[in-house]
Each structure stands twice: as C-alpha cells, then as structure tokens.
Amino acid sequence: MPIKTALLERSHAACELCASTADLSVFEVPPVAEPNSDKSVLVCDTCLAQIEKNTEMDSNHWRCLNDSMWSQVPAVQVLAFRLLTRLAKSEGWAHDLLEMMYMEDETKAWADYNVAADQIEEVAATRDSNGTVLVAGDNITLIKDLDVKGSSFTAKRGTPVRNISLTDNPEQIEGRVNGVRIVLLTQFIKKMPAGL
C-alpha cells in the first residue's frame, strides 16, 4: 500500500498535528533509511512550511500540539516533541507540555536524534546562573543585591521576579522589580522551582 494511502487511512484524512483536512502531504520524520508509513506523518501545508522552517513559527497554530502529542503513533509523538522543543525557547506553554510528555525509550531516542541540529541555535538559549534554561513567563529570584540604574533603589538579593520576558541577548532578561520594568543580567538570577 502506498505510504500516503496508509497515512490517509491512519489519520482519517486529516493532518496528524493540527487536524486540518486541506492540502495534505507526507512528511518523513528523520532519520529515515527506508521510507514507510511508520516513519512518516501526514501534515497540512501550514504545518509543513513551519516544520521545514520555510516560514516563521506561529505559536498560536502550534497549540494543536496539546492534543497531537498524545497520539499513539510514534512518528507523530517524535514530531510533536521536536516542534515543542523549538517552541519552548520562547513559549512557556510549550515548555510545560514538554514536561508532561511521555514516550517509550525507543521513541524518545528517535525524538532526540535530530534535536541536536535544531539546538545549535539553543547554544544561545537564555540560562540562569546555574545553567538552567529560562523561557518567557518563568519566575526567578535575584542572587545578589543589584543597583538599578536610573532609579533610587537597590533590587535586593532574594527578590522574586515573576513572569519574565526574554530579550535578544541571551545574557539578559526583563522583569518587574518594585513595579519598575528593568533588565537583569542572567548571571545574577536563578530560576524558581515550579509552583512557587
């Protein structure tokens, strides 16, 4: 049976990521030694363009991964994992979904295979003083008293900063301290544990 026919049957003729029924095509999830339906996913043109990085990632479109990440099909799980990993650099919700995601060991190894190439960009990920990756919306704590330029106060060690924003510089984040939005150097902050 041709791969596309098998995928149309498996997916009930809908994109296996966002459930769209328009402009469907086969995407082989690397690495693929010999193409077959178990190593492929049926995707729409909107998903395909973003997967192949032909267009910018539309984070609202990818909210569909909240459902598709629970697919029983390993290829769909792998693709959802890789997309969430890309999105987690700037989207807190994607990071949360990644933490909930479960895959069998073999599927997880497949998912991790190509992530290293995608994460060349992540070398420039924003990290706290302990090396923990930070995403937009995280809560952090100051680990040193900091004089705030242009104001008359000092941001004290231990001050929590909630719902941070990332900047273009991986060594800086933005957050509110004493009601003032300031830029903080990542070497002077640490991520707060979830739930605090």
Side-chain angles (χ1 to χ4, degrees):
M1 176 185 308
I3 293 173
K4 187 165 186 178
T5 305
L7 294 181
L8 284 166
E9 190 175 303
R10 179 177 83 193
S11 68
H12 306 290
C15 174
E16 293 183 275
L17 296 175
C18 75
S20 170
T21 55
D23 303 316
L24 301 173
S25 56
V26 175
F27 177 76
E28 293 175 358
V29 183
V32 178
E34 190 174 317
N36 64 61
S37 59
D38 290 339
K39 295 280 189 179
S40 303
V41 176
L42 194 66
V43 296
C44 66
D45 281 353
T46 303
C47 288
L48 185 62
Q50 294 180 58
I51 291 166
E52 294 183 333
K53 300 181 182 177
N54 295 331
T55 60
E56 192 173 325
M57 293 284 279
D58 174 2
S59 60
N60 285 330
H61 174 77
W62 293 114
R63 297 268 181 180
C64 62
L65 295 174
N66 191 27
D67 294 325
S68 53
M69 69 184 244
W70 301 112
S71 170
Q72 297 300 304
V73 178
V76 176
Q77 292 174 9
V78 167
L79 194 50
F81 174 84
R82 291 178 183 173
L83 290 165
L84 286 169
T85 300
R86 277 169 57 188
L87 287 160
K89 296 172 192 172
S90 59
E91 299 293 332
W93 63 265
H95 185 266
D96 294 342
L97 290 181
L98 272 177
E99 291 200 352
M100 289 190 290
M101 196 167 184
Y102 172 79
M103 291 180 279
E104 296 292 338
D105 292 343
E106 186 178 321
T107 306
K108 179 71 169 94
W110 178 17
D112 287 338
Y113 174 82
N114 208 30
V115 171
D118 274 346
Q119 292 188 354
I120 289 169
E121 301 166 36
E122 198 174 304
V123 170
T126 301
R127 298 177 186 274
D128 73 2
S129 58
N130 296 326
T132 305
V133 174
L134 298 170
V135 296
D138 275 348
N139 300 326
I140 57 98
T141 306
L142 302 182
I143 60 169
K144 178 181 178 183
D145 289 355
L146 301 172
D147 291 326
V148 179
K149 290 182 183 175
S151 74
S152 59
F153 72 91
T154 299
K156 297 288 187 192
R157 177 181 175 178
T159 300
V161 181
R162 303 194 182 284
N163 199 17
I164 64 165
S165 300
L166 302 184
T167 67
D168 291 337
N169 183 342
E171 294 177 6
Q172 299 175 346
I173 58 107
E174 289 185 3
R176 287 198 179 279
V177 176
N178 291 353
V180 178
R181 189 159 191 81
I182 61 173
V183 173
L184 297 164
L185 297 178
T186 54
Q187 66 190 16
F188 301 127
I189 64 174
K190 71 176 181 180
K191 183 175 178 175
M192 291 170 62
L196 293 182

